[in-house]
Amino acid sequence: MSSSQFRYTQTPSKVVHLRNLPWECVEEELIDLCKRFGKIVNTKTNVGANRNQAFVEFAELNQAISMVSYYASSSEPAQIRGKTVYIQYSNRHEIVNNQSPGDVPGNVLLVTFEGVESHDVSIDVIHLVFSAFGFVHKIATFEKAAGFQALVQFTDVETASAARNALDGRSIPKYLLPDHVASCNLRMSYSAHTDLNIKFQSHRSRDYTNPYLPVNHTAMDGSMQPALGADGKKVETQSNVLLALIENMQYAVTVDVLHTVFSAYGSVQKIAIFEKNGSTQALIQYSDIATAAIAKEALEGHCIYDGGYCKLRLSYSRHTDLNVKAFSDKSRDYTLPDLSLLVGQNVPGVADASAPTAGWQNGQVQTQYAGYGGSPYMYPSADHAGASPSSGHPPYYG
């Protein structure tokens, strides 16, 4: 045997060091290689920068000596998955698995919700997801640099471990999330806490073991938390403000365009357009919830332009009164009086309502809709049955 495969200069140890292992070699493969030489009491895998080393600790020193001596004199090298493994004594006499705090099992889980903001996942949804594995004692949510997180306390370590093993890396069911959230992945570790200190019931914290705990009524405001129906599905809280996510934008969508589309269902008070997570979104405020509900039902999933362009995905916003700049490229307040006077006075940022909007000077678009009175945007059917409204606007192709 080559001297590079075995080192006899080291003092024998119960711990054997194995090198040149195949990628992500698992404990079962190490045990299968070493078990014939004696009882194995501990292992440590995926060691080193390339994660191709490991340590195996035998119960007795003579067992480790037996293994090293055997392969030192054997004509056939030790192999795992057909790859030659180099064996030597370790300079340590026992394996100490230094676990990070997040790896030490406990009854409290630290959960990170990826891809969402704090108001996207309610404490009721968190309770619904985790109570499937056992009684949840307490929940505390908060925001850190890692994002939106929660501490979830179970009765014992076994229940917490079962929940972690089942849910870590998984996603919350889509029907429990707001429509604008594509997915919410769960990342979990164990917390060093054993008993959370919940001072009052709120939308951020909950103690399910103490019904007499004071309630923070302000924090329990229902407008902040989506309710759950008897089947566990989210019941969206209605609002007079709609949140519009605009998909497949091939043409510009301006405040004037949105006003034209949404004012078909009632008086629009305010509009604000913004960019978030690489997509264009808008908030449209009506005077009351009923009008917003009618507009949402009629426009959800429809496209502003024929051909599937600028599709609207609508949900209710938690806002009730938008604070927007009166007149800008991205926002408009239609509740301010005498807009025409401001236009006549050439107030900066206020366009002449009679002039064509700059965003619609695309000749191709105007030509495409020349047969529809020059209007490039589409209106859904008034009777919701697919027929064109009597006004002569084109049928809605969303």
Side-chain angles (χ1 to χ4, degrees):
M1 279 292 129
S2 72
S3 59
S4 62
Q5 185 172 356
F6 299 95
R7 289 202 315 225
Y8 292 101
T9 56
Q10 282 192 303
T11 303
S13 167
K14 292 189 298 182
V15 180
V16 175
H17 181 199
L18 299 95
R19 298 179 292 118
N20 199 44
L21 294 168
W23 175 250
E24 292 191 344
C25 179
V26 296
E27 183 181 47
E28 288 76 10
E29 292 176 299
L30 292 176
I31 293 175
D32 188 56
L33 176 67
C34 305
K35 64 184 179 182
R36 59 176 168 153
F37 298 100
K39 182 181 179 180
I40 298 169
V41 296
N42 206 351
T43 63
K44 190 176 182 66
T45 60
N46 297 318
V47 178
N50 295 321
R51 301 172 64 85
N52 63 347
Q53 302 179 46
F55 295 96
V56 174
E57 180 180 346
F58 286 94
E60 303 292 339
L61 177 61
N62 64 340
Q63 296 170 344
I65 294 174
S66 175
M67 180 176 181
V68 173
S69 300
Y70 174 83
Y71 284 112
S73 59
S74 174
S75 60
E76 296 183 0
Q79 290 188 334
I80 293 180
R81 291 189 229 158
K83 189 172 184 180
T84 298
V85 178
Y86 300 107
I87 303 171
Q88 63 194 45
Y89 295 117
S90 172
N91 55 12
R92 64 182 73 187
H93 297 287
E94 65 176 342
I95 296 175
V96 178
N97 290 315
N98 294 319
Q99 294 179 307
S100 64
D103 294 327
V104 179
N107 67 311
V108 179
L109 296 177
L110 173 63
V111 185
T112 301
F113 302 88
E114 298 180 340
V116 297
E117 296 184 12
S118 59
H119 60 269
D120 291 330
V121 181
S122 73
I123 200 166
D124 292 326
V125 166
I126 298 172
H127 181 260
L128 181 69
V129 170
F130 283 88
S131 62
F133 300 90
F135 178 63
V136 174
H137 285 226
K138 302 173 184 179
I139 298 176
T141 65
F142 49 90
E143 294 180 74
K144 293 286 187 179
F148 179 49
Q149 296 181 307
L151 291 169
V152 181
Q153 178 180 331
F154 287 99
T155 305
D156 48 46
V157 176
E158 291 73 20
T159 308
S161 298
R164 184 191 181 195
N165 293 337
L167 295 175
D168 189 24
R170 303 290 294 275
S171 298
I172 292 179
K174 187 71 172 69
Y175 68 83
L176 293 176
L177 300 171
D179 293 338
H180 66 276
V181 175
S183 65
C184 175
N185 296 324
L186 302 174
R187 298 297 177 190
M188 300 183 202
S189 60
Y190 294 105
S191 170
H193 295 283
T194 57
D195 189 18
L196 303 179
N197 182 20
I198 306 297
K199 296 182 179 180
F200 51 80
Q201 314 281 22
S202 75
H203 74 282
R204 301 299 297 270
S205 61
R206 203 69 58 85
D207 184 344
Y208 300 96
T209 67
N210 185 2
Y212 303 106
L213 198 65
V215 176
N216 184 333
H217 293 284
T218 303
M220 293 288 286
D221 180 6
S223 64
M224 297 293 292
Q225 295 294 306
L228 294 178
D231 57 357
K233 294 186 177 181
K234 177 177 63 64
V235 178
E236 193 173 16
T237 303
Q238 293 185 320
S239 168
N240 64 310
V241 178
L242 296 178
L243 172 63
L245 175 64
I246 305 172
E247 300 176 345
N248 194 22
M249 282 190 60
Q250 296 295 321
Y251 304 109
V253 175
T254 65
V255 173
D256 292 328
V257 170
L258 291 177
H259 183 262
T260 301
V261 172
F262 283 88
S263 62
Y265 301 92
S267 176
V268 174
Q269 293 185 329
K270 300 176 184 179
I271 295 177
I273 301 176
F274 55 95
E275 299 291 326
K276 185 175 181 181
N277 298 329
S279 64
T280 299
Q281 301 184 29
L283 291 168
I284 299 94
Q285 177 179 326
Y286 287 100
S287 59
D288 53 68
I289 294 176
T291 306
I294 293 172
K296 181 179 183 295
E297 182 180 357
L299 292 172
E300 165 59 29
H302 291 289
C303 304
I304 296 177
Y305 296 101
D306 191 8
Y309 299 128
C310 303
K311 178 176 286 189
L312 296 171
R313 294 299 183 189
L314 302 176
S315 60
Y316 293 106
S317 169
R318 57 191 177 91
H319 297 285
T320 57
D321 189 18
L322 304 179
N323 182 19
V324 301
K325 292 182 179 180
F327 305 102
S328 74
D329 293 338
K330 296 294 185 180
S331 63
R332 196 70 51 84
D333 186 345
Y334 299 96
T335 65
L336 295 179
D338 253 344
L339 175 60
S340 60
L341 292 178
L342 293 175
V343 173
Q345 295 169 8
N346 296 320
V347 175
V350 182
D352 186 346
S354 64
T357 308
W360 303 107
Q361 299 306 307
N362 187 321
Q364 180 181 356
V365 175
Q366 292 179 348
T367 302
Q368 180 181 358
Y369 296 97
Y372 302 129
S375 174
Y377 26 82
M378 312 285 294
Y379 293 85
S381 169
D383 61 5
H384 308 291
S388 302
S390 58
S391 61
H393 291 294
Y396 197 82
Y397 296 106

